[in-house]
Amino acid sequence: MRYRILGGTGIEVSTYCLGTMMFGSIGNADHRDSVRIIHSALDRGINFVDTADMYSAGESEEIVGKALRDPRRRDETVLATKVYFPVGGEGPARGGLSRRWIVRAVEASLARLGTDRIDLYQVHRPDHRTDVEETLDVLGDLVSQGKIRAFGCSAFPAERIVEAHAVAERRGLRRFRTEQPPYSLLARGVETAVLPVAQRYGMGVLTWAPLASGYLSGAYRKGRAVDLSRGRAAITPHRFDPALPENAAKLDAVEELALLAEETGCSLPDLAVAFAAAHPAVTSVILGPRTMEQLDGLLKGAPLVLSDEVLDRIDAIVPPGTDLYRADGAWRPPSLAEPGLRRRPPGERAASGS
């Protein structure tokens, strides 16, 4: 396993990061088996583990804590988690990136993880309700207190990253050191601005969803029936129904990519993960196995080097900056999600009075 420096932190992390979203009630509910998978990844050179407080409502963090109970394993592991979503109940003043919630959430994460420090604490999504200055201020305080070593952001659009860095410089605050965007053969939109901006500010980049929710694992192929009553397809059928034109376009691209993988002498998942790791802005690619078999399969492709010719052919199939697939849970700005923010009141829409 090769290692890269995580942004300007000086921390060396493996090119693959073990994502733990699938450990817990929404995936692998067997804690012992999940711990065994984590230990296997660590024993094979992965030193970077990423979780979040909202994964299985905190259960994923508990599993990671069990896996890192041995102080030696904990010391050798770069541990990352996230904050934003409400965990542990419902009601007002829960979630978000306010000082009040972050202070509360970090203590809960530390307790579930069974550790006294988090190496990388990430804000899981932007929060339009909270001034970024307040968020940066409290995160900087947590660094000073030794509860976190560094902090970053996740699924931030380029303009939000620029704003955060400008505020940090203007106010003399610590800044985001990493960004965690979705990035895959089918989701290349971040190449347009997010990845170049991350490079401009010397940020480390952890990418997620390299297999595009199964499209690049081989689970969905053209001409095969899709069971829309199970798994992800049951939750968001509009993302997987092959009768929809946007999904048909994904499946067409997958067929071409699968053929390219075969000609390259690798599997489609190998091609997908190696593609993400090849971008100069990317520090580490997050792998999210649910089973040991899945981990074994993903790690087999670690030595794969994609030639310029192969990368050129990928560009011809899915042009740079193109999004054929939008990752589940990717952040959408309020201006797109709330119609009232992009529509004047009816009486003010005309260019002249009647």
Side-chain angles (χ1 to χ4, degrees), residues 16-67:
Y16 287 171
C17 174
L18 181 67
T20 65
M21 187 178 74
M22 298 309 296
F23 299 152
S25 60
I26 68 167
N28 188 342
D30 186 329
H31 285 211
R32 288 187 178 182
D33 188 49
S34 296
V35 167
R36 188 170 64 93
I37 295 169
I38 295 171
H39 285 172
S40 178
L42 297 176
D43 291 341
R44 287 190 270 181
I46 291 178
N47 77 333
F48 200 8
V49 176
D50 178 77
T51 186
D53 58 2
M54 60 84 67
Y55 293 165
S56 294
E59 189 180 0
S60 174
E61 286 188 328
E62 293 173 0
I63 292 170
V64 172
K66 292 177 181 178

Side-chain angles (χ1 to χ4, degrees), residues 2-339:
R2 289 181 174 171
Y3 301 86
R4 298 170 177 174
I5 300 297
L6 185 61
T9 67
I11 302 171
E12 285 187 288
V13 297
S14 46
T15 304
Y16 287 171
C17 174
L18 181 67
T20 65
M21 187 178 74
M22 298 309 296
F23 299 152
S25 60
I26 68 167
N28 188 342
D30 186 329
H31 285 211
R32 288 187 178 182
D33 188 49
S34 296
V35 167
R36 188 170 64 93
I37 295 169
I38 295 171
H39 285 172
S40 178
L42 297 176
D43 291 341
R44 287 190 270 181
I46 291 178
N47 77 333
F48 200 8
V49 176
D50 178 77
T51 186
D53 58 2
M54 60 84 67
Y55 293 165
S56 294
E59 189 180 0
S60 174
E61 286 188 328
E62 293 173 0
I63 292 170
V64 172
K66 292 177 181 178
L68 301 182
R69 186 169 295 163
D70 183 333
R72 290 174 298 178
R73 282 201 185 273
R74 176 62 190 94
D75 288 342
E76 294 170 358
T77 302
V78 179
L79 177 59
T81 192
K82 310 181 198 73
V83 59
Y84 172 78
F85 293 100
V87 178
E90 299 180 355
R94 303 186 64 83
L97 301 179
S98 67
R99 172 177 287 273
R100 178 184 183 277
W101 181 252
I102 289 176
V103 167
R104 179 175 176 177
V106 75
E107 295 295 345
S109 285
L110 288 168
R112 285 189 291 264
L113 291 164
T115 186
D116 62 352
R117 80 279 185 193
I118 294 164
D119 297 303
L120 177 63
Y121 199 45
Q122 302 157 100
V123 296
H124 212 153
R125 294 292 185 272
D127 180 6
H128 68 279
R129 304 168 303 173
T130 303
D131 193 312
V132 70
E133 181 177 347
E134 168 155 340
T135 301
L136 295 174
D137 191 38
V138 63
L139 291 172
D141 287 349
L142 294 177
V143 172
S144 298
Q145 294 164 16
K147 294 180 179 180
I148 66 175
R149 298 295 189 252
F151 58 86
C153 50
S154 175
F156 269 46
E159 65 271 18
R160 287 283 185 132
I161 296 174
V162 172
E163 177 192 8
H165 280 276
V167 169
E169 182 176 3
R170 186 168 64 248
R171 299 298 187 186
L173 301 172
R174 298 179 191 270
R175 60 191 179 91
F176 289 133
R177 290 293 186 178
T178 62
E179 160 59 13
Q180 187 179 133
Y183 182 47
S184 74
L185 288 164
L186 299 181
R188 302 186 62 177
V190 293
E191 293 174 340
T192 301
V194 171
L195 296 185
V197 165
Q199 288 178 291
R200 167 66 180 82
Y201 287 109
M203 300 173 72
V205 174
L206 303 68
T207 63
W208 53 280
L211 301 185
S213 297
Y215 274 99
L216 297 171
S217 72
Y220 306 101
R221 296 293 295 270
K222 189 173 183 178
R224 294 183 190 171
V226 176
D227 186 350
L228 298 176
S229 66
R230 299 177 58 189
R232 293 177 185 267
I235 299 171
T236 53
H238 62 284
R239 296 180 182 275
F240 300 95
D241 185 349
L244 298 178
E246 59 268 29
N247 296 328
K250 298 173 196 173
L251 294 172
D252 286 340
V254 166
E255 291 304 308
E256 294 187 66
L257 292 167
L259 179 60
L260 175 58
E262 183 179 351
E263 294 174 0
T264 304
C266 67
S267 69
L268 180 58
D270 289 348
L271 183 76
V273 176
F275 166 80
H279 195 287
V282 174
T283 310
S284 191
V285 179
I286 298 174
L287 310 179
R290 180 177 52 83
T291 66
M292 185 69 78
E293 181 182 15
Q294 290 174 351
L295 175 66
D296 291 341
L298 290 167
L299 290 182
K300 284 180 181 177
L304 178 63
V305 176
L306 300 183
S307 67
D308 287 343
E309 179 186 358
V310 170
L311 292 171
D312 288 344
R313 291 182 63 184
I314 289 172
D315 287 349
I317 297 169
V318 183
T322 299
D323 273 335
L324 294 180
Y325 164 86
R326 182 176 173 81
D328 292 346
W331 184 77
R332 285 174 61 82
S335 58
L336 297 182
E338 301 174 23

